[in-house]
Amino acid sequence: MPKVLFAPPALWEEYRPALLAAFDGMGVDLVQEAEPASVDYIIYAPSAPLQNFTPYTRCKAVLSLWAGVERIVGNPTLTQALCRMVDPALTEGMVEWVVGHVLRHHLGMDRHIVNPGRVWDPTCPPLARERPVAMLGMGELGRAAARALVALNFPVTGWSRTEKTVGGIPCLHGEDGLEAALRGAEIVVTLLPKTAGTENLLDARRLAMLPKGAVILNPGRGAVIDDDALLAALDAGHIGHATLDVFRIEPLPGDHPYWAHPRVTVTPHIAADTRPRSSAHVIAENIRRGEAGMPLLHLVDRARGY
Ligand code: NDP
Ligand code: OXD
């Protein structure tokens, strides 16, 4: 009977029933505490106090409840396989967040929602087909968000580390590809992991490539944006608005200039939550595969960092 250690205590009450339901009939022993050498799998989240994986000598895999793994991937004690969260409900949430915030800016909704002067301004927005979007990161979440925007007629250009084909969506890569994606975009969405290769990717030079008034949405990771450069570009009027869900320090400190900036919207890392019911099935499937000697799903590549 595989022993599964649930490592983040704060999430136990929320996840326990969903995991027990998903493990039904699998003969899994789900525990909150165990002798490390007896544990077969660890369910992990960044809030887990567990930092030293060395004593977990029998553990076949650490199963992350989070999609982003930057807080565990570089842990030198982690020699076990690491799987990240890829879950349809998480993806659905991200698609909704991205589409909602893209439409807010595309339609200029703020002008009508907050209109204390009762200004009758009948200016119509362009059609979505006239509003190019760049999707930086074409992984599980970027691809799904890009497809949803394409379904609304937004011309989306994807950009990622490697060359790829995503039906009907032009996909670029490399530095030239990034420049082309940025130069053509009125709205940029970043769905990139935090790695050495993405840190400060949107710096002053690259922000300057965007057309004046471009909007940035960042539900990926805060470190992808050079905050000082973004604030300067907002102050200069070059960037029209930034809607940010993720930050270098979370919760975003109360005195951070983003809170007070009139053209920044802060959302508190809620773009896409991992939902217990659906994610429990993802975890169960990986344990089932591990026990059957099959390859695990959603393995993290340590060298790439995601
Ligand atoms: P994936 O690993 O599936 O996709 C990552 C994408 O980023 C891939 O397209 C990858 O390129 C690209 N990428 C990585 N490094 C680079 C680089 N140096 N240059 C260009 N492209 C790069 O991740 P997901 O789509 O599942 O998630 C993306 C991120 O979203 C997560 O890492 C996490 O940080 C964040 N997230 C945020 C949430 C929130 O609530 N705000 C919720 C969940 C996730 P390639 O395809 O070539 O490998
Ligand atoms: C994640 C997140 O990575 O919620 O899953 O940010």
Side-chain angles (χ1 to χ4, degrees):
M1 177 182 289
K3 191 180 287 275
V4 178
L5 175 69
F6 188 84
L11 302 177
W12 174 248
E13 291 304 327
E14 193 185 355
Y15 274 85
R16 187 173 167 272
L19 286 166
L20 289 177
F23 293 156
D24 191 31
M26 286 174 61
V28 167
D29 182 18
L30 178 66
V31 295
Q32 258 197 308
E33 282 175 11
E35 163 59 33
S38 70
V39 170
D40 296 289
Y41 300 90
I42 298 173
I43 301 177
Y44 171 87
S47 63
L50 176 50
Q51 289 298 320
N52 181 9
F53 295 90
T54 307
Y56 294 87
T57 47
R58 185 167 116 180
C59 176
K60 294 183 191 147
V62 174
L63 307 169
S64 171
L65 292 175
W66 281 42
V69 289
E70 72 279 0
R71 283 155 73 179
I72 182 174
V73 70
N75 185 321
T77 68
L78 182 73
T79 51
Q80 300 84 348
L82 173 64
C83 300
R84 66 190 202 92
M85 183 50 64
V86 174
D87 163 37
L90 180 88
T91 305
E92 214 176 304
M94 184 59 81
V95 168
E96 291 179 13
W97 188 96
V98 170
V99 169
H101 287 279
V102 164
L103 286 175
R104 168 195 171 192
H105 294 295
H106 166 62
L107 295 174
M109 287 181 184
D110 294 13
R111 281 187 300 143
H112 308 297
I113 293 171
V114 181
N115 187 5
R118 301 179 186 182
V119 177
W120 183 268
D121 175 1
T123 312
C124 273
L127 290 171
R129 71 179 77 245
E130 295 156 338
R131 181 87 71 190
V133 175
M135 184 65 65
L136 308 187
M138 287 293 281
E140 293 291 335
L141 301 177
R143 279 198 309 275
R147 286 194 183 108
L149 294 173
V150 167
L152 292 171
N153 284 341
F154 287 99
V156 178
T157 301
W159 180 77
S160 57
R161 192 177 56 85
T162 56
E163 194 171 354
K164 56 171 52 60
T165 309
V166 176
I169 303 176
C171 291
L172 305 174
H173 65 284
E175 188 61 38
D176 291 351
L178 179 58
E179 178 162 354
L182 294 177
R183 289 209 185 280
E186 290 181 23
I187 299 179
V188 178
V189 184
T190 73
L191 270 166
L192 294 162
K194 180 187 174 196
T195 67
T198 61
E199 188 139 15
N200 288 324
L201 186 101
L202 288 184
D203 59 9
R205 185 175 65 85
R206 295 198 180 106
L207 290 171
M209 292 172 183
L210 287 161
K212 188 171 164 46
V215 166
I216 295 178
L217 309 185
N218 185 16
R221 280 296 181 262
V224 170
I225 296 182
D226 176 336
D227 294 325
D228 290 340
L230 176 58
L231 286 162
L234 284 159
D235 289 341
H238 183 66
I239 300 298
H241 198 101
T243 295
L244 309 172
D245 185 60
V246 282
F247 306 90
R248 282 164 201 270
I249 301 175
E250 295 180 3
L252 184 66
D255 60 354
H256 195 286
Y258 282 150
W259 282 116
H261 203 287
R263 277 179 289 110
V264 173
T265 300
V266 170
T267 64
H269 200 144
I270 43 79
D273 205 7
T274 300
R275 322 267 159 161
R277 190 136 46 115
S278 53
S279 63
H281 287 286
V282 179
I283 299 281
E285 172 60 8
N286 249 342
I287 293 172
R288 191 189 67 75
R289 293 174 74 95
E291 292 308 285
M294 293 163 68
L296 295 169
L297 300 172
H298 320 311
L299 274 170
V300 172
D301 180 328
R302 303 291 175 81
R304 284 187 333 194
Y306 67 97

